[in-house]
Amino acid sequence: MKIVYFCALEDIPLEKYPSHCKLLRELDTPNVPASDEYGSYVNAVSGKEILMAIKDHVKMQLLCDIRASPFYSLLIDESTDRTIKTHLIIYILYVSNAGKGPTRCVFIELLSVENGNAKSIFDIVSKFLQDNMLDIHKLIAIATDGASVMVGHKTGVLARFQEATPHIMGVHCIAHRQALAAKDGFVTHPHVYAFVDKVANKVYSWLGKSSKRHDELWKIMTEYDIVDMRALQIHSVRWLSRGQVMERLVNIMPAILKQWQCSEKKWYKNITFFLVQFMIHFLADVLKELNKLNMEFQKHEMDVTTIGAMLDLTIEKLKRRYIDVDTHNFGLNSPCLSSFLKMAKESMLSYEDVNGNLHKHALRFESIPIDVKIGSLQECIFMAKIYVKNILDALDRRFEDLSMYNAFKIFSPSSYPSNIVDRERMTYEWLSRIINRLNVDSHMIDIHKCMNEREDFVGMLCRVAEHKGMHDAWKVCMDKKSWWDSYPEMMKIWQMALVIPASTSACERGFSRQNFIKSTSRSSLALDTLDALMLISIDARGLHAIDWKNVFDIWANAKKRRAMPLS
């Protein structure tokens, strides 16, 4: 059984289970069947049966922990695997140890979706809750990627749940929202950005066709002391790809220019357009900042009270560099763009190699070969400012619920104002906002008692967890009986706040694991096997955390067994 668990944990196909048993037998490992005859259970079919027993045990432990939690939230997403089969992945965010432990976000099941409409997904999720005996009245929020089938106002999945249980809150993943805001920047002048993307992707495709070109590029990069870097391709489904491509392209630009100057005259002409070079360097800087923000939003355990601060920092930086400046100071503190603009003053791109030789490439101040008359520095800056303004407007528009996440600062002493009067006023506002936004009713929380507890609760929290964030402060108070006795309603609100997700990036990581397990060489995996392998691989609790006697009982009771002697 431990061999099967090891295979699942290390993503080793179950077909290798018999050979692992054979190896252990040859190493004279105790308690290994002496032969491969029927009843020894060392074949791949028996391996799958053992896998299912381990999965049932792990899932049962997870579900028991979830059921004991006073509140939980669902993170759901839909995707297709390598064989174009549609699946719905479900993660659950809850408070462990019956509501008095740290929060956990766990993968729980991968479900088949025959029809991807809202009713079908609603029925699948409802059946999942019913089959696993999860109380829907404890369900606080459902986080999705914001697709219309999920969040449609009238017939979306969320709307259908809210018909029966109005307190359920919908959460649009902040990482998806930020990625959409970055995409909104390209609404103006789309043909220009399409041409820049075409040039960037050409570098990838041109090199990808020839090992000789790769060798030539590598030799040129050593001349410029550039670390060996491969060109990247822009992927429309990957949030961070365009920024990474532009940043990589800036780094290898000296080598690409030298190589294309000799070997690819047409594309050398395209890449030396001033507009193209300006946009590559500009996008490298802007998208780098947006990618940093997105990576923060994708973190496994994110403190939602910091979302506003991270957004404000990024917005302030973009405004300072690109909006609140004149033409002469545009992009002054922008690393890639400022370096490019210094070189462009002489209408040249100049790069020095390791021997001190200067290589120059003339910039062409002409319109790119599409129906757009843009080529001068002023025109490029004007277009870049519009791009940044579009992003800032989109961030403001797409994060309209930021006030709710900010309200959770009532549980984050590091966010408290230093002035006592200001602290009293702000914490009162924050608590009122939480109660209104969460649509809390009297069956869940005694609102009047909660408001009365607030002043003493905040005062004590400020003293025992000074300078701590929401999750760290919770670890200080979660198992203290005095807190539950003195502030029971505020502790319940805190539990609710802890299980409200900000992102569905866990689901994206789950799908990445799905595609890793169901690789091209294992594309025939059935859904039940794939689900079991994903659960064990993602859970990864380790051999010593498994109750092997319980696993054996589940396996033995699944059907009649006939065991062979070990020797």
Side-chain angles (χ1 to χ4, degrees):
M1 286 184 168
K2 291 181 180 179
I3 299 171
V4 173
Y5 182 77
F6 175 80
C7 289
L9 205 59
E10 298 297 323
D11 301 311
I12 299 171
L14 285 178
E15 285 75 11
K16 302 293 182 183
Y17 166 63
S19 59
H20 278 69
C21 293
K22 185 178 179 181
L23 173 63
L24 293 175
R25 186 187 306 135
E26 291 177 355
L27 293 173
D28 296 324
T29 305
N31 301 325
V32 175
S35 69
D36 294 339
E37 295 180 22
Y38 179 79
S40 61
Y41 300 108
V42 294
N43 54 67
V45 174
S46 297
K48 181 177 177 180
E49 292 175 351
I50 294 170
L51 175 73
M52 293 303 168
I54 298 171
K55 183 206 81 168
D56 289 344
H57 166 73
V58 171
K59 186 176 179 180
M60 181 174 60
Q61 285 194 324
L62 289 174
L63 287 171
C64 286
D65 206 18
I66 294 167
R67 290 178 194 130
S69 176
F71 308 107
Y72 69 92
S73 290
L74 296 180
L75 289 75
I76 60 176
D77 199 3
E78 188 183 10
S79 183
T80 54
D81 63 16
R82 294 183 185 277
T83 55
I84 322 298
K85 291 182 179 177
T86 306
H87 294 143
L88 186 76
I89 196 167
I90 298 181
Y91 275 73
I92 294 182
L93 177 63
Y94 68 99
V95 187
S96 61
N97 194 24
K100 296 183 180 180
T103 56
R104 292 194 66 198
C105 184
V106 298
F107 166 76
I108 203 72
E109 195 163 350
L110 187 71
L111 300 164
S112 176
V113 178
E114 298 297 331
N115 187 336
N117 61 34
K119 184 180 185 305
S120 176
I121 295 174
F122 170 76
D123 291 341
I124 290 169
V125 177
S126 298
K127 187 176 185 300
F128 162 80
L129 295 174
Q130 187 175 357
D131 291 347
N132 292 287
M133 293 181 288
L134 295 173
D135 187 354
I136 196 170
H137 295 99
K138 293 182 178 181
L139 177 58
I140 297 300
I142 299 176
T144 70
D145 61 359
S148 57
V149 70
M150 296 290 187
V151 299
H153 292 298
K154 293 184 179 180
T155 59
V157 174
L158 180 62
R160 292 171 184 270
F161 273 105
Q162 288 173 334
E163 280 183 17
T165 318
H167 76 263
I168 295 176
M169 187 176 76
V171 175
H172 184 181
C173 169
I174 58 173
H176 277 88
R177 282 192 266 179
Q178 191 269 343
L180 290 171
K183 194 175 180 181
D184 288 343
F186 299 106
V187 172
T188 313
H189 305 107
H191 301 301
V192 174
Y193 297 111
F195 186 80
V196 174
D197 285 354
K198 187 177 180 181
V199 173
N201 280 330
K202 180 62 181 178
V203 175
Y204 175 84
S205 63
W206 188 79
L207 290 170
K209 292 178 181 178
S210 171
S211 59
K212 180 182 176 182
R213 291 171 181 170
H214 272 290
D215 292 339
E216 288 175 357
L217 182 66
W218 182 83
K219 289 176 183 177
I220 297 171
M221 285 196 296
T222 57
E223 293 176 16
Y224 288 99
D225 196 25
I226 299 172
V227 178
D228 185 20
M229 292 183 176
R230 296 186 179 274
L232 300 176
Q233 184 180 22
I234 297 172
H235 291 272
S236 59
V237 296
R238 294 182 184 172
W239 300 335
L240 311 180
S241 70
R242 182 177 277 103
Q244 293 170 339
V245 169
M246 297 302 168
E247 195 174 353
R248 181 68 58 85
L249 192 52
V250 168
N251 290 332
I252 65 173
M253 186 63 72
I256 291 294
L257 287 169
K258 185 174 179 180
Q259 189 176 26
W260 277 10
Q261 190 176 26
C262 302
S263 308
E264 187 62 55
K265 300 290 185 182
K266 176 189 172 183
W267 285 98
Y268 176 75
K269 177 182 176 182
N270 288 336
I271 205 170
T272 52
F273 280 115
F274 175 81
L275 170 61
V276 172
Q277 284 291 333
F278 179 95
M279 281 300 160
I280 288 173
H281 288 79
F282 167 70
L283 291 173
D285 285 332
V286 174
L287 295 177
K288 182 179 181 179
E289 295 302 324
L290 294 177
N291 285 358
K292 280 164 57 179
L293 180 63
N294 203 285
M295 291 298 290
E296 289 293 326
F297 285 172
Q298 292 182 52
K299 282 188 174 177
H300 181 65
E301 186 180 277
M302 188 191 173
D303 187 345
V304 297
T305 63
T306 64
I307 294 173
M310 287 188 287
L311 271 172
D312 289 343
L313 176 63
T314 303
I315 290 169
E316 179 188 328
K317 196 179 289 186
L318 293 178
K319 283 183 176 179
R320 187 173 65 249
R321 288 180 180 178
Y322 310 110
I323 301 297
D324 300 332
V325 291
D326 56 22
T327 302
H328 297 293
N329 294 313
F330 183 84
L332 190 62
N333 297 314
S334 186
C336 296
L337 184 60
S338 60
S339 176
F340 165 74
L341 291 175
K342 286 178 184 177
M343 288 190 288
K345 287 179 180 179
E346 298 178 2
S347 302
M348 289 279 182
L349 289 175
S350 302
Y351 301 102
E352 187 176 329
D353 62 25
V354 291
N355 297 318
N357 299 319
L358 203 61
H359 300 263
K360 294 187 176 184
H361 304 271
L363 288 169
R364 304 173 62 240
F365 290 82
E366 307 168 20
S367 297
I368 57 178
I370 56 174
D371 189 23
V372 177
K373 303 299 181 184
I374 298 174
S376 69
L377 173 61
Q378 289 74 19
E379 290 168 333
C380 289
I381 290 176
F382 176 74
M383 186 171 67
K385 284 195 171 191
I386 291 176
Y387 171 78
V388 174
K389 284 178 181 177
N390 286 344
I391 290 175
L392 298 180
D393 290 343
L395 288 173
D396 186 56
R397 186 176 66 253
R398 292 184 181 276
F399 284 86
E400 73 285 345
D401 58 349
L402 196 57
S403 60
M404 182 200 68
Y405 290 118
N406 285 335
F408 293 144
K409 290 178 181 179
I410 192 172
F411 304 113
S412 176
S414 61
S415 303
Y416 288 173
S418 55
N419 182 278
I420 296 177
V421 176
D422 291 339
R423 187 176 70 201
E424 284 298 304
R425 177 178 56 82
M426 289 304 300
T427 54
Y428 178 83
E429 289 180 11
W430 288 337
L431 182 57
S432 301
R433 200 183 303 162
I434 290 171
I435 291 171
N436 291 332
R437 183 65 182 84
L438 294 183
N439 198 19
V440 177
D441 58 39
S442 56
H443 297 290
M444 300 170 68
I445 304 288
D446 187 330
I447 297 172
H448 180 72
K449 190 176 179 182
C450 183
M451 297 300 288
N452 289 337
E453 292 174 0
R454 176 197 56 81
E455 183 178 356
D456 290 348
F457 172 85
V458 169
M460 280 298 296
L461 190 62
C462 183
R463 286 163 175 77
V464 302
E466 189 178 8
H467 306 309
K468 292 185 182 294
M470 182 169 73
H471 288 276
D472 289 334
W474 172 252
K475 290 172 185 176
V476 173
C477 308
M478 62 187 183
D479 56 353
K480 300 289 191 300
K481 185 175 183 297
S482 59
W483 282 82
W484 293 96
D485 291 341
S486 302
Y487 320 111
E489 302 307 312
M490 284 299 298
M491 294 298 280
K492 287 181 187 176
I493 291 279
W494 200 349
Q495 288 174 324
M496 294 173 71
L498 287 166
V499 301
I500 293 177
S503 165
T504 58
S505 53
C507 296
E508 302 296 338
R509 285 190 284 269
F511 281 129
S512 295
R513 175 54 54 180
Q514 168 198 265
N515 291 330
F516 185 82
I517 294 171
K518 193 170 183 177
S519 60
T520 51
S521 60
R522 302 171 72 187
S523 58
S524 60
L525 279 175
L527 179 62
D528 59 343
T529 308
L530 178 60
D531 175 50
L533 290 170
M534 285 179 64
L535 180 65
I536 293 169
S537 177
I538 294 171
D539 178 80
R541 61 183 58 198
L543 285 167
H544 299 295
I546 302 286
D547 183 347
W548 293 105
K549 184 180 183 304
N550 182 255
V551 173
F552 178 82
D553 291 340
I554 294 171
W555 172 79
N557 294 328
K559 67 177 186 180
K560 290 184 178 180
R561 305 286 181 185
R562 187 177 73 181
M564 291 283 290
L566 294 174
S567 58

